[in-house]
Amino acid sequence: MTKRQRAVGSAIEWIAQGPGAARVIGQPKINVIAFGAHPDDCDIRAGGVAAKYAALGHRVRFVAVTNGDAGHQTAGGGALAARRRAEAQEAGRRIGIDYVVLDNHDGKLLPTLAGREQIIRQMRQWTADLVLAPRPNDYHPDHRYTGVLVQDAAYMVTVPNIVPDTPALRKNPVFMYFEDDFQKPAPFAPDVAVSIDDVFDRKIDMLDAHVSQFYEWLPWHDGKLDRVPADAGERKRWLREQLTLEMTPAVRAALAKRYGAARAAAIHHAEAFETCEYGSRPSEADLRRLFPFFP
Ligand SMILES: [Zn+2]
């Protein structure tokens, strides 16, 4: 089925050909790439905005820097890596984005030169305008080193003599961090917060694809495997409850900055990002262009 819509008050006309197939016409596409340590990390921190970009016809790639081959209580190795790759690809399919899983071992990631070069290639191949990644002060070494690897690539991605097999970016992307709750050396300070109320069900649908994680490994690790419902619909509702988190005052304030206080107060779910000091330093106009979701 085909439908046409013209966005009131903007130059964006989009044509949808079924769910998730909207295309932006008359404005440049934004190329967003997000790096998470494991297949499901980007989904948790940016699955909502990814669904929103995809619905507008922008390009999103999630990259899991490890293959997740340690993340289960009974499975492991190549079989688990294959299962998690399939889950990640299904998750990406459900919201209409690209999902790459790099073949590095889970739980063993280090900030090596080889890892940095993998990250540089990914950013270049995607012609990234916006790069999302964890801050390098996370509890999990894989998360932490994913943050370091992205930071280490932030300048080198523009240097042609580095990784000469893949043409360097002529314009340095904007780098932003995912939200986290670590307080040292500094708490997460959101520069942008986006309401994802309109796509929260789609985000849950995406996360639901990671069966080995949300219904097996993570509940087992937390000692609540017996609370996971057996029925597919029931367990999705359960997952929704697990992932409905309290919003911090800082994120609420960041929402108010762009949606106004009254609208921000009514938002239930948001994803927030902090500008990294590396890469291009975005102006307010740049942020509005890179996050085309605000009123
Ligand atoms: Zn992780």
Side-chain angles (χ1 to χ4, degrees), residues 121-135:
R121 273 192 199 93
Q122 287 293 324
M123 291 177 190
R124 289 179 178 175
Q125 286 165 0
W126 202 245
T127 329
D129 300 302
L130 174 63
V131 179
L132 307 175
R135 296 198 300 162

Side-chain angles (χ1 to χ4, degrees), residues 20 26-27 58 68-69 80 84 122 166 169 176 249 255 267 294:
Q27 78 166 35
H58 299 293
D69 63 357
L80 179 58
R84 296 197 64 182
Q122 287 293 324
T166 312
L169 295 183
M176 299 190 83
L255 287 171
I267 293 171
F294 303 119

Side-chain angles (χ1 to χ4, degrees), residues 164-243:
D165 59 36
T166 312
L169 295 183
R170 294 294 295 128
K171 187 174 184 312
N172 211 185
V174 169
F175 290 78
M176 299 190 83
Y177 297 122
F178 299 137
E179 185 179 0
D180 62 58
D181 59 5
F182 300 101
Q183 301 296 306
K184 295 174 182 175
F188 173 78
D191 291 296
V192 171
V194 178
S195 168
I196 59 159
D197 284 345
D198 56 331
V199 290
F200 193 65
D201 287 340
R202 298 196 66 205
K203 176 172 179 173
I204 297 299
D205 195 38
M206 176 184 215
L207 294 169
D208 171 74
H210 297 280
V211 173
S212 71
Q213 301 303 292
F214 294 106
Y215 304 131
E216 298 175 15
W217 163 243
L218 295 170
W220 179 85
H221 195 265
D222 292 346
K224 52 185 182 187
L225 190 57
D226 57 339
R227 289 187 234 162
V228 179
D231 175 74
E234 280 296 316
R235 74 182 186 184
K236 208 173 195 177
R237 273 189 286 281
W238 177 84
L239 179 60
R240 199 177 208 286
E241 283 167 27
Q242 304 294 306
L243 291 161

Side-chain angles (χ1 to χ4, degrees), residues 60-201:
V60 182
R61 169 174 282 182
F62 281 1
V63 179
V65 180
T66 78
N67 60 18
D69 63 357
H72 204 272
Q73 68 277 29
T74 56
L80 179 58
R83 185 179 179 201
R84 296 197 64 182
R85 183 182 301 276
E87 289 175 344
Q89 270 152 13
E90 172 61 14
R93 191 196 63 76
R94 288 185 185 185
I95 65 161
I97 67 159
D98 192 72
Y99 211 129
V100 168
V101 178
L102 299 178
D103 207 14
N104 300 306
H105 288 301
D106 184 357
K108 299 181 180 178
L109 190 66
L110 288 170
T112 61
L113 186 55
R116 187 194 302 171
E117 291 178 350
Q118 287 181 313
I119 302 282
I120 290 170
R121 273 192 199 93
Q122 287 293 324
M123 291 177 190
R124 289 179 178 175
Q125 286 165 0
W126 202 245
T127 329
D129 300 302
L130 174 63
V131 179
L132 307 175
R135 296 198 300 162
N137 58 328
D138 194 283
Y139 77 103
H140 194 303
D142 291 348
H143 298 180
R144 198 155 62 234
Y145 295 137
T146 296
V148 171
L149 285 165
V150 173
Q151 286 188 339
D152 287 353
Y155 170 68
M156 293 303 174
V157 74
T158 63
V159 179
N161 272 327
I162 302 297
V163 195
D165 59 36
T166 312
L169 295 183
R170 294 294 295 128
K171 187 174 184 312
N172 211 185
V174 169
F175 290 78
M176 299 190 83
Y177 297 122
F178 299 137
E179 185 179 0
D180 62 58
D181 59 5
F182 300 101
Q183 301 296 306
K184 295 174 182 175
F188 173 78
D191 291 296
V192 171
V194 178
S195 168
I196 59 159
D197 284 345
D198 56 331
V199 290
F200 193 65
D201 287 340

